[in-house]
Amino acid sequence: DIVMTQTPLSSSVTLGQPASISCRSSQSLVHSDGSTHLSWVQQRPGQPPRLLIYKISNRFSGVPDRFSGSGAGTDFTLKISRVEAEDVGVYYCMQGTQYPWTFGQGTKVEIK
Amino acid sequence: QVQLMQSGAEVKKPGASVKISCRASGYSFGSYHMHWVRQAPGQGLEWMGIITPSGESTIYAQKFQGRVTMTRDTSTSTLYMELNSLRSEDTAVYYCAKDGYYIVDYWGQGTPVTVSS
């Protein structure tokens, strides 16, 4: 199974400041179709998860542009350019390149 | 808009089975794979498996092989997940989710399952 490792596991951020989360996979996430199926999901407290980013850097419908994704191969990053109160929650990276699909452990983002 | 409405909370005894439903609307249910993902209390997300649009094929995480069955009824746009031989470690919120080609793009609201004697 592909292991997804996120750092940090928690982050306390001042409103309006940036935040960054790293995700490393135990093997390349490049699929045979040439795409890299790495996505990021957000889970606000008490809510189901919500897709933010897919294929490394593509924002899903309705996702604010303060969220951005980058990376390649085995190393990926989610950035929030200016954290807002509604961004509090847990963020997971997820790979859909190989079965079983796997998630990172999650990174908890809170407001300082 | 895409909606995935799951059945209500369940309380089961160890050794029992649970069957959760997920009714889809707002898109062509018969055209997309569907997933189940679970989340134990205070823990992260765990992928359980996927079922093809026709329901003819499934892939389960090895951890659940032999205990889980995913099915779907295209006539009612409903997805089902049955988990057998429940143990306390199966206490979790279970989510159905729509596949968006190598991603999960929409999630149900979750169904809490408690396994307790």
Side-chain angles (χ1 to χ4, degrees):
Chain A
D1 297 2
I2 297 177
V3 177
M4 307 295 287
T5 304
Q6 290 182 227
T7 55
L9 297 183
S10 66
S11 179
S12 185
V13 186
T14 301
L15 284 173
Q17 292 301 301
S20 181
I21 301 169
S22 294
C23 174
R24 177 167 289 178
S25 57
S26 60
Q27 56 189 273
S28 173
L29 298 185
V30 178
H31 192 269
S32 57
D33 66 3
S35 294
T36 299
H37 298 297
L38 183 282
S39 55
W40 291 93
V41 299
Q42 174 198 59
Q43 188 173 31
R44 291 170 171 154
Q47 297 293 313
R50 163 199 178 201
L51 176 65
L52 292 178
I53 302 281
Y54 63 96
K55 285 202 290 188
I56 303 176
S57 60
N58 296 272
R59 274 188 303 277
F60 190 58
S61 174
V63 174
D65 61 7
R66 64 179 181 275
F67 290 94
S68 64
S70 62
T74 61
D75 287 283
F76 308 94
T77 302
L78 175 70
K79 291 184 179 177
I80 310 173
S81 59
R82 296 172 304 280
V83 171
E84 298 189 5
E86 66 178 18
D87 300 335
V88 165
V90 182
Y91 293 78
Y92 299 89
C93 59
M94 191 198 82
Q95 67 83 16
T97 292
Q98 177 182 304
Y99 293 118
W101 290 15
T102 48
F103 293 89
Q105 320 95 299
T107 295
K108 186 175 184 178
V109 172
E110 58 183 16
I111 303 301
K112 190 181 294 182
Chain B
Q1 72 281 24
V2 174
Q3 289 194 322
L4 300 172
M5 291 298 298
Q6 298 184 223
S7 50
E10 301 268 8
V11 179
K12 296 292 182 180
K13 293 194 182 302
S17 298
V18 67
K19 189 170 186 177
I20 302 168
S21 66
C22 167
R23 183 155 189 175
S25 61
Y27 72 102
S28 178
F29 178 72
S31 297
Y32 292 89
H33 294 66
M34 295 291 291
H35 301 260
W36 287 94
V37 176
R38 77 176 187 180
Q39 185 172 37
Q43 302 300 307
L45 301 169
E46 181 175 32
W47 184 83
M48 297 181 69
I50 185 173
I51 183 168
T52 56
S54 66
E56 289 184 357
S57 183
T58 52
I59 297 174
Y60 301 135
Q62 187 170 14
K63 176 176 183 176
F64 302 102
Q65 288 273 5
R67 280 208 305 143
V68 69
T69 304
M70 297 178 187
T71 56
R72 62 195 295 166
D73 182 343
T74 304
S75 69
T76 60
S77 298
T78 304
L79 177 71
Y80 299 94
M81 189 281 295
E82 184 171 24
L83 189 60
N84 302 317
S85 303
L86 290 169
R87 31 209 190 231
S88 59
E89 310 89 89
D90 294 318
T91 293
V93 176
Y94 290 77
Y95 295 101
C96 65
K98 174 184 168 293
D99 184 85
Y101 302 112
Y102 305 103
I103 60 172
V104 170
D105 54 5
Y106 293 95
W107 299 70
Q109 84 276 20
T111 296
V113 174
T114 302
V115 182
S116 174
S117 55

